[in-house]
Amino acid sequence: MDAQTWPVGFRCLLLLALVGSARSEGVQTCEEVRKLFQWRLLGAVRGLPDSPRAGPDLQVCMSKKPTCCTRKMEERYQIASHQDMQQLLQTSSSTLKFLISRNAAAFQETLETLIKQAENYTSILFCNTYRNMALEAAASVQEFFTDVGLYLFGADANPEEFINRFFDSLFPLVYNHLINPGVTDSSLEYSECIRMARRDVSPFGNIPKVVMGQMGRSLLPSRTFLQALNLGIEVINTTDYLHFSKECSRAFLKMQYCPHCQGLTLSKPCMGYCLNVMRGCLAHMAELNPHWHGYIRSLEELSDAMHGTYDIEHVLLNFHLLVSDAVIQAHLNGQKLLEQVNKICGRPVRTPTQSPRCSFEQSKEKHGMKTTTRSSEETLANRRKEFINSLRLYRSFYGGLADQLCANELAATDGLPCWNGEDIVKSTPIPLLLEVLVTASHCQYLLHRIAAWPKVHALLLRHPSYTPVIRQ
């Protein structure tokens, strides 16, 4: 049995017997301590005491009474207590981590589906309405939506550039097939001149700017939202593997395994004692809590801002309508555009190459282009809302972690005898016990902060999603 299964196995053993009601006096044998030690450490270890004896070389589990521990055992217990604490931290955050990672994967998959569906809608538009230019437009359509996906998933792309690039490539097609059609196509050089002239003659009116506005306001929040989820996973992974100070490592050992040295293998720490140790050693977690709370609040505000023309689903699935409007507008202003292009590029030089026609079948179902009606429950916005509602339950996760671990995993149940760091005592009310411990000269609540805290703090502060989004 490995180290990670110890906390569960240990709890099972606790159910097999009741804790002794009084103190640790009169332990005659170390048999139970030997069995648990060997089981925990995967095999026999030489030099385990058969009966209690003096332990002058112990560094942490010191006692005036005879002990079942040696210095070597204490060192192995030190390793075990550290492993136990790491396992507890990982177990306590596993549900939160799964919630975020599962939704990050689901959101990315949904966005990939939306991008493909929007690309299909645009291809269908050309295939059904502008068949002569459909195959020529296919490469530009595919490149555009590839750029959309790359940007959403974190690549260094500029939406304004790939939107302009799409409409630049669209204008020569519209000009050659709708404005100045001929039995042959213009040369590549002439088409390139038309492409370069697009921003001067504005054949599509303000539609490219409308697309930039909608894409800019929807792509960036979606991109940031997805990056923020990955940031949350990174923060959890960091706090799951924090390096504890020497003082905390000794405190964990004393709280969890020093009772074994006195033969108290079934004991648990008193609640007040546990809280003092855990709140002290996880004080950095409590300091992280307001930043974590702000991170979740920022996610809420970011999600709330993604609606209407800001909603990525609405923008992507209606992109083909704006493309259609752009083509129609250019067609209606054909005579004016013809004169402008002739003035800039001259009259077309035709080549004998005929443009290929659309090869798509009329059936959308045959090519996976079936238009589907999405119910309200299936929308990306509703998925985000459901996720945020679940995430709100963890707003105080780091602030209450120490108390949660003591209450659910480590400390003895109220009313049962418990370990106070020195011996087994009758459980006392938590406020009274805390008052005694907090005013003690060696208060464990003031243990050193761990070194990894600045790293976690930096992870949250560096990301744009941490700055609350101002609603328009």
Side-chain angles (χ1 to χ4, degrees):
M1 183 174 296
D2 60 27
Q4 293 185 344
T5 60
W6 168 243
V8 175
F10 185 58
R11 288 196 298 273
C12 291
L13 288 175
L14 292 178
L15 299 177
L16 299 179
L18 293 175
V19 179
S21 59
R23 308 176 68 83
S24 58
E25 302 163 352
V27 176
Q28 301 297 322
T29 176
C30 295
E31 182 65 24
E32 288 301 315
V33 177
R34 288 168 54 88
K35 288 181 180 179
L36 283 174
F37 184 84
Q38 291 173 4
W39 173 61
R40 173 66 177 86
L41 298 174
L42 304 178
V45 178
R46 293 180 181 178
L48 297 184
D50 293 317
S51 59
R53 61 188 186 184
D57 58 340
L58 297 181
Q59 300 295 310
V60 179
C61 299
M62 298 171 289
S63 175
K64 296 178 181 179
K65 302 173 185 177
T67 179
C68 288
C69 288
T70 63
R71 175 65 181 145
K72 188 68 175 178
M73 291 175 65
E74 189 180 55
E75 291 173 354
R76 300 295 292 272
Y77 277 141
Q78 180 84 76
I79 296 172
S81 65
H82 182 269
Q83 292 173 338
D84 290 350
M85 196 55 56
Q86 293 287 0
Q87 176 67 14
L88 279 175
L89 290 176
Q90 293 167 34
T91 301
S92 66
S93 66
S94 61
T95 303
L96 173 60
K97 184 177 178 180
F98 178 70
L99 172 68
I100 298 177
S101 59
R102 179 190 63 188
N103 279 277
F107 288 139
Q108 178 161 335
E109 182 180 356
T110 301
L111 288 173
E112 289 171 349
T113 300
L114 286 174
I115 292 169
K116 186 60 179 176
Q117 192 172 11
E119 181 181 344
N120 287 343
Y121 284 0
T122 309
S123 298
I124 290 169
L125 166 70
F126 285 103
C127 186
N128 289 350
T129 309
Y130 308 107
R131 294 179 64 82
N132 288 346
M133 68 176 84
L135 285 185
E136 292 177 88
S140 296
V141 171
Q142 184 179 30
E143 180 185 6
F144 174 78
F145 285 104
T146 297
D147 288 335
V148 169
L150 289 173
Y151 177 76
L152 277 175
F153 302 134
D156 185 16
N158 187 322
E160 183 176 348
E161 289 181 1
F162 62 70
I163 291 170
N164 272 324
R165 191 161 55 243
F166 172 77
F167 284 105
D168 287 346
S169 66
L170 180 61
F171 184 39
L173 303 182
V174 174
Y175 184 84
N176 287 331
H177 292 282
L178 295 179
I179 297 174
N180 190 18
V183 293
T184 56
D185 292 336
S186 61
S187 65
L188 293 177
E189 293 79 4
Y190 193 78
S191 292
E192 177 64 15
C193 181
I194 298 173
R195 190 188 72 82
M196 295 293 291
R198 197 273 302 178
R199 302 186 200 187
D200 294 324
V201 301
S202 299
F204 307 124
N206 71 335
I207 290 177
K209 291 185 178 180
V210 171
V211 173
M212 287 181 194
Q214 291 189 4
M215 287 285 181
R217 290 167 179 152
S218 63
L219 294 184
L220 179 58
S222 297
R223 168 188 167 108
T224 304
F225 190 83
L226 193 58
Q227 289 178 333
L229 298 187
N230 292 325
L231 172 68
I233 297 171
E234 186 180 355
V235 169
I236 295 170
N237 285 338
T238 302
T239 56
D240 276 352
Y241 294 95
L242 290 172
H243 174 70
F244 289 105
S245 66
K246 180 180 179 180
E247 291 87 344
C248 282
S249 295
R250 293 167 65 93
F252 294 151
L253 167 61
K254 187 174 183 179
M255 183 176 72
Q256 293 179 275
Y257 288 104
C258 284
H260 290 211
C261 297
Q262 297 185 29
L264 306 172
T265 56
L266 300 179
S267 68
K268 278 192 169 188
C270 301
M271 180 61 76
Y273 174 44
C274 179
L275 289 175
N276 260 350
V277 171
M278 297 306 294
R279 286 176 179 174
C281 292
L282 299 183
H284 55 283
M285 297 287 195
E287 291 179 356
L288 176 60
N289 197 65
H291 302 288
W292 180 256
H293 191 283
Y295 163 78
I296 294 178
R297 185 176 62 251
S298 295
L299 280 179
E300 293 179 45
E301 295 176 347
L302 190 61
S303 180
D304 290 343
M306 297 157 62
H307 64 275
T309 56
Y310 299 88
D311 180 48
I312 186 67
E313 187 169 20
H314 171 84
V315 171
L316 288 177
L317 297 184
N318 286 280
F319 173 74
H320 67 289
L321 300 178
L322 289 175
V323 173
S324 179
D325 290 343
V327 174
I328 291 173
Q329 183 162 335
H331 194 191
L332 292 176
N333 294 324
Q335 186 58 42
K336 179 181 177 182
L337 293 172
L338 180 62
E339 295 172 359
Q340 289 176 310
V341 170
N342 285 343
K343 184 177 180 180
I344 297 173
C345 300
R347 295 190 177 278
V349 178
R350 299 289 186 177
T351 61
T353 304
Q354 187 174 1
S355 299
R357 288 179 174 269
C358 174
S359 62
F360 291 138
E361 296 290 340
Q362 290 291 334
S363 170
K364 299 173 186 178
E365 291 82 358
K366 184 171 182 178
H367 291 278
M369 296 182 179
K370 182 176 180 180
T371 303
T372 58
T373 302
R374 299 169 66 86
S375 68
S376 60
E377 289 77 18
E378 295 176 330
T379 65
L380 190 60
N382 278 284
R383 291 184 180 182
R384 279 198 311 268
K385 183 178 180 180
E386 181 180 347
F387 164 67
I388 292 296
N389 286 338
S390 298
L391 192 61
R392 284 194 186 103
L393 301 177
Y394 294 91
R395 283 179 296 190
S396 299
F397 173 75
Y398 286 108
L401 184 58
D403 292 43
Q404 174 189 331
L405 291 177
C406 285
N408 297 338
E409 302 289 342
L410 296 172
T413 305
D414 288 345
L416 292 180
C418 55
W419 172 253
N420 70 351
E422 299 293 337
D423 209 336
I424 290 293
V425 297
K426 184 177 180 181
S427 180
T428 58
I430 294 176
L432 176 61
L433 185 58
L434 277 174
E435 182 180 352
V436 173
L437 291 172
V438 168
T439 56
S441 59
H442 296 91
C443 175
Q444 290 164 316
Y445 193 82
L446 299 178
L447 292 173
H448 293 303
R449 272 56 166 159
I450 59 172
W453 153 243
K455 178 182 177 183
V456 179
H457 192 191
L459 286 175
L460 288 175
L461 293 181
R462 81 183 186 195
H463 202 278
S465 67
Y466 185 71
T467 302
V469 174
I470 300 175
R471 292 183 176 85
Q472 300 292 327

